[in-house]
Amino acid sequence: MKERPSVGGRVLTILTFVFLYAPIIVLIVFSFNSSNSRTVWSGFTLDWYGELFEDSLIMSSLSTTFSVSIISALVATVAGTAAAIGFFNMKKRTRAPLLAINNIPMINADIITGVSMCLLFVAAFGFLGNFTGWLNRVFGFNLPTRFTQGFGTLLIAHITFNIPYVILSVMPKLQQMDRNLVDAAMDLGCSPLSAIWKVVIPDIMPGIINGAIIAFTMSIDDFVISFFTAGSNSQTLAMAIYTMTKKRVTPKINAISTLLFLTVLILLIVVNIRSSRQEKKLQESMKIKKSFVR
Amino acid sequence: MSKELIRLKDVSMTFDGDTVLDNMNIYFNDKEFLTLLGPSGCGKTTTLRIIGGFLVPTSGDVFFDGVRINDVPPYLRQVNTVFQKYALFPHLNVYDNVAFGLRIPKSVDEGGTDINSESSGRGKRKKSKKVKLSKDEIDQRVQEMLEVVSLKGFEKRTVSSLSGGQQQRVAIARALVNRPKVLLLDEPLGALDMRLRKDMQQELKRIQQQMGITFIYVTHDQEEALAMSDTVVVMNNGKIQQIGTPEDIYNEPKNAFVADFIGESNIVDGIMRADRLVEIFGRQFQCVDSGFEKDEPVDVVIRPEDVDIVDVTQGALTGLVTSVTFKGMHYDIIVDFKGFKWLIETTDFCPVGSHIGIKLDPDSFHVMKKSEYSGMYGDYSSYSAEYDEISDAEYQEEESVDEEEYYES
């Protein structure tokens, strides 16, 4: 028997959702407001969305965001999958601490990750500058001696913070895999490497794809780490929005934020649906097996 | 006698200080159906994995056709394996599963045989030609094999849509299609129900004879071993207890462990008074065994089906019936002889509490030398009808535990 929630309980639930979603709903509603005001509704319009595409700052930051997200998601997916397979083949004694270390960047405050990366890049550029300076002096090369943060550092930072998410989504798939599959592939003539290609990767593919989508999502909505590592020449969408709030605020911000929110929301829904479908499939195949096994 | 194909010489295996195989010496003949039989943890699966190339023995050598193959990886060996839980590739359909091995280009040396020698193992492998089979040949061989395992028409089915028995057949076809010289089978029928198991036993035997290759079969089910094998190897604690034909193993067990593990046995202490004269419970009986020293203490095996029940006045021994279980074909009754409980199979109903006499023919005794297992088996004091099933379940549990150990190590 389901117990009906009390009136108080229901009110509390509703209030919770209002607090959670009211800001976003207001944001979305006022992205369609025909006047500049953010408090008075004066009619429906799509002008602000149209203006977005004429704003060169937004369009360039949008392309930066997409290129950084796509490239970093791809690289992190490859690296993370390889790392997960490596972890999986380790002894438990080595694997457990490594997985724990893998989790730290995810729970670490973004600002710490951002600042520390920024400092690392500055230090590394310092060393690199000294080294090229020395090369120039000794060999007469004409290499640059000053390096600044930009798209490259932004990309490295994104790849770095994406890898743990990929590992986290691939690992359970590996653990569900029948260990004998690799043995069976080798038994049939595969070298260990081709066994991974032909058997392991296809088997854990759903996990890899989920990992890639999550990594992409994380990249797209990251602000703090990008802020510290993008330098002054490149700007992601999140950074562009932040900069816009410092100037005169127009509903353009609402419009671009709405689009960003919807993109991330759709990606997360896709991941969730995929996961629950796989769960269902797994349970069904277990059920089939059980009915045959005594 | 057919020729020797595989030999394990002084093979030992230790995991984290645990000895799993203890100085094992055994050879496998060509075209033979050989079963490694023993309780879980006896080292039978380890032996199979060593032959398959998944484990390298801690010490000792493995020979294939006279060549040492210790360091030859599994993918270069001429053996194929049917794994315990099938290990079919879930992302491929039946056809692609069976064709998997054929689609991998194989190294072939000058002589035209598969690479198999130590010198051509890992690392310093010679530049040898990789040969890829044509699509038509692959198709022909896959179809042929599906025919053998009676799975024609299942080509496009996904693996998960098949029943346990069908999956088992796919696993066998997938291994056999590569035409190995030896097929290794690791408890392949363990997950099937009783009826299917019996059918598959017949099927496996038929396939083995049809293909004319060596089968090395691992099981803890003694009935299965007796029904299918040319040779049975009984193992315990990493040591071979006895090698012989099923008849030898059943009729002439070497020690109390084998006698107890294969079939049901009453094992009592006895003394050999002379050739063909054994004394148990203070009474002397004619038997057929000889070659023991005079007055040597021995273990005597009496199979439950060899005991004749007679009237209490005519019995050589008399006892009290303490339990009766109806088994369909016969009754299992437990009889107390001076504190030692015997299991007797009989078609006569003897109620609990009745006194009976028994008669023993000379050939119902089997006399064995004393061994480390003496006194550990053969008393039915704790017998109950469910006992067998309980111990079966234990085997299953433990088996999966030591499987884990293999991977961890």
Side-chain angles (χ1 to χ4, degrees), chain B residues 37-62:
Chain B
L37 174 66
S40 77
C42 75
K44 54 193 193 304
T45 300
T46 309
T47 310
L48 203 72
R49 292 179 69 83
I50 286 175
I51 298 170
F54 303 108
L55 290 173
V56 178
T58 319
S59 67
D61 297 313
V62 186

Side-chain angles (χ1 to χ4, degrees), chain A residues 91-92 95 178-181 183-192 198-199 202-203 288-289 292-294, chain B residues 49 54 74-75 79-81 83 87-91 100-101 104 106 160 163-164 174 178 190-191 407-408:
Chain A
K91 282 192 178 181
K92 209 176 182 180
R95 191 200 313 151
D178 179 359
R179 291 241 184 187
N180 276 328
L181 287 185
D183 281 350
M186 301 220 312
D187 189 69
L188 295 168
C190 281
S191 65
K198 288 188 172 160
V199 175
D203 202 53
I288 290 171
K289 262 192 196 135
F292 288 112
V293 176
R294 116 187 82 127
Chain B
R49 292 179 69 83
F54 303 108
Y75 51 93
V79 297
N80 284 111
T81 310
F83 291 88
L88 298 175
F89 305 126
H91 60 287
F100 190 91
I104 295 161
K106 295 271 163 26
S160 57
S163 72
R174 185 181 67 176
N178 304 292
Y407 295 121
E408 291 302 331

